[in-house]
Amino acid sequence: LQAEWAQLELEEGALARKLAADGAQERVKATEAAGQHAAWEQVFNVRIMLHKALSAANQMPDPALLPDFAAHGQRARSAVAECAQSALLLLGDMLALSGALGSSAEDGGRQAREGERLAREAG
């Protein structure tokens, strides 16, 4: 009976250690999941903010009409050039972000390189 009792105590101790280890692993997973959720929430908020900029960019004149629009004076040409520069930088940043968050390493790397190239061209 003593030997059986000692065996049960050993099994109970092993079970308690396993439960403690499992609890620690679950806390780590929960912390990682909370961090991932916060990151995706930030990306979503950035997407909402970018929507306004993209909507404004969609209201620009058709590229074929830009010379006519710019013919209205230096102020119009400067505005078009500044808007185009900002749009190009925004596109580069979006491609880099998309590459960083991309589903596959190959697509993500390609998009990140394209975003960097566009940012260099804009700068």
Side-chain angles (χ1 to χ4, degrees):
L1 189 58
Q2 288 287 344
E4 193 174 314
W5 180 260
Q7 181 63 31
L8 286 174
E9 283 181 335
L10 286 175
E11 289 175 6
E12 185 178 338
L15 183 59
R17 285 188 297 279
K18 183 180 181 328
L19 287 174
D22 287 349
Q25 286 177 339
E26 290 298 319
R27 282 189 293 280
V28 167
K29 286 180 185 179
T31 301
E32 290 171 354
Q36 185 180 22
H37 176 74
W40 280 108
E41 190 171 310
Q42 287 176 342
V43 169
F44 183 70
N45 288 333
V46 167
R47 168 61 179 93
I48 290 170
M49 288 186 279
L50 286 176
H51 182 75
K52 294 175 188 174
L54 293 173
S55 293
N58 283 337
Q59 294 175 5
M60 284 203 47
D62 186 76
L65 299 176
L66 283 179
D68 294 336
F69 182 76
H72 290 292
Q74 180 58 35
R75 187 170 173 217
R77 280 191 296 280
S78 295
V80 168
E82 183 180 335
C83 187
Q85 178 78 8
S86 295
L88 193 56
L89 288 172
L90 177 62
L91 178 61
D93 289 344
M94 289 175 61
L95 286 171
L97 177 62
S98 177
L101 299 173
S103 59
S104 77
E106 183 178 318
D107 287 344
R110 182 183 50 77
Q111 290 175 345
R113 286 188 301 278
E114 180 67 11
E116 291 167 359
R117 183 188 65 78
L118 288 171
R120 280 193 309 275
E121 288 177 4

